[in-house]
Amino acid sequence: MTGRTHDPAVTAHVVVDHASAVHHAATLARRAARHGGLDGTAAERAAVLTTELAGNLLLHAVGGAVYVQCHPLGGGIDVVAVDRGPGMASPDRAMVDGFSTTGTLGSGMGAARRLADELTLRTLPGVGTLICARFHAPGTRPPLSDLGLLCLPVRGEEECGDSAAVVDAPGGRTAVVVDGLGHGPEAAEASAAAVAAFRAAPERPLPEILTAMDGALRSGRGAAVGLMRLRPGSVEHCGIGNVRLLLVAPDGVRSRALGQPGVVGWNMPRPQTRTLPMPEECAAVVHSDGITARWPDSATPFLLGMPPRLLAAALGHGHRSARDDATALVSGAARRSS
């Protein structure tokens, strides 16, 4: 492990295929809760709940994993449990204390609902189950719309060459996904420099943000970058390189956009923006090329209709490349003022 500062965008990830993974997942949740601004009591609640979710994966599911993510707006964490089946035939009953399909006490899902500040569940028999337990830090405000993030290093690396950031402001929600060239520590340094340039003035026009990133990356590795700004009814996109934007709804993919050819920090062309209509039923997905580009070809209404906090995890769990860092950032549409 290097001395680089902890990147809150990077997701802790545990494949739950052995009893020891349950304890490991709880430890990661406790650590992420502290990074996410939760106090000691809330961090213990997160650890207990993660134990319940991971234990359920071990007992009931195949292909299960736990993802622990600091919320990209700060002030909390998401703990997401994902599996590849068998799915729940009676999800409402599963949330009731005392319900069990294996002869256990059946307190896990009922306890999870009480421990989390928010609990979101989607399941489909024969496909799988996704559960997100969200914990809020004291004094934090609800975001303008739902938001999900998954940011995973390539297998075998501790540092992630991808990163992401989100800022909510009066002018709209502005988000960035950065894919540092290659992977490992040098790519991680490039993505950190790009995110720092973004955070310095995220309210600027998107081409100006990209130009600032280009200057910040001149002395190191370059990066591919995707920027979006959400306003009620629309999304503005500006990107360089192979970071994709898709607008999805339960009935399919409505729009797609790819960055201009080039590398931020090396041979960046003059950035151009594109504005797309974004109905309220849509979610905006921005992902690096560590998420396979062909994932929409097999996307079902079950996948496309997930709330952002689950869709990001589903893309990482089911459509991740084994040879690259992988990031998926998903946001709901910006809300109109009442």
Side-chain angles (χ1 to χ4, degrees), residues 40-55:
T41 300
E44 287 307 311
R45 281 195 293 122
V48 171
L49 183 144
T50 303
T51 300
E52 296 284 356
L53 294 180

Side-chain angles (χ1 to χ4, degrees), residues 23-124:
H23 174 73
H24 185 42
T27 300
L28 292 178
R30 186 181 293 110
R31 184 182 306 158
R34 291 168 179 159
H35 281 301
L38 276 66
D39 61 22
T41 300
E44 287 307 311
R45 281 195 293 122
V48 171
L49 183 144
T50 303
T51 300
E52 296 284 356
L53 294 180
N56 281 342
L57 289 176
L58 192 63
L59 286 172
H60 303 292
V62 296
V66 171
Y67 300 92
V68 184
Q69 178 68 57
C70 290
H71 197 275
L73 288 170
I77 66 167
D78 288 344
V79 179
V80 186
V82 186
D83 64 58
R84 295 190 172 95
M88 297 183 186
S90 305
D92 292 337
R93 291 181 66 198
M95 298 301 296
V96 177
D97 287 342
F99 177 78
S100 174
T101 60
T102 59
T104 64
L105 292 177
S107 61
M109 291 307 301
R113 182 172 58 183
R114 291 190 299 273
L115 288 166
D117 294 319
E118 298 180 55
L119 193 73
T120 306
L121 183 150
R122 296 291 187 274
T123 187
L124 187 65

Side-chain angles (χ1 to χ4, degrees), residues 160-163 177-195 210-226 240-243 260-269 288-289 324-325:
C160 187
D162 285 5
S163 192
V177 169
V178 182
D179 181 355
L181 296 186
H183 48 78
E186 291 185 2
E189 289 176 6
S191 66
V195 168
L210 265 176
T211 300
M213 290 181 175
D214 185 59
L217 297 185
R218 290 282 172 168
S219 61
R221 284 197 188 181
V225 176
I240 303 293
N242 199 16
V243 176
Q260 300 165 241
V263 177
V264 179
W266 180 38
N267 62 346
M268 189 180 82
S288 67
D289 62 358
D324 201 358
D325 307 310

Side-chain angles (χ1 to χ4, degrees), residues 71-74 134 140-148 165-176 198-199 201-204 209 228-232 329-335:
H71 197 275
L73 288 170
R134 178 162 285 182
T140 56
R141 295 181 179 180
L144 296 175
S145 60
D146 194 26
L147 185 65
V166 183
V167 173
D168 278 350
R173 168 172 289 171
T174 306
V176 63
F198 166 81
R199 289 194 179 279
E203 74 286 350
R204 290 173 294 180
I209 297 175
M228 71 172 176
R229 177 164 289 146
L230 295 162
R231 296 187 176 96
L329 189 150
V330 186
S331 175
R335 297 171 181 166

Side-chain angles (χ1 to χ4, degrees), residues 247-260:
L247 301 184
V248 304
D251 60 355
V253 177
R254 300 286 184 87
S255 301
R256 306 172 193 241
L258 183 63
Q260 300 165 241

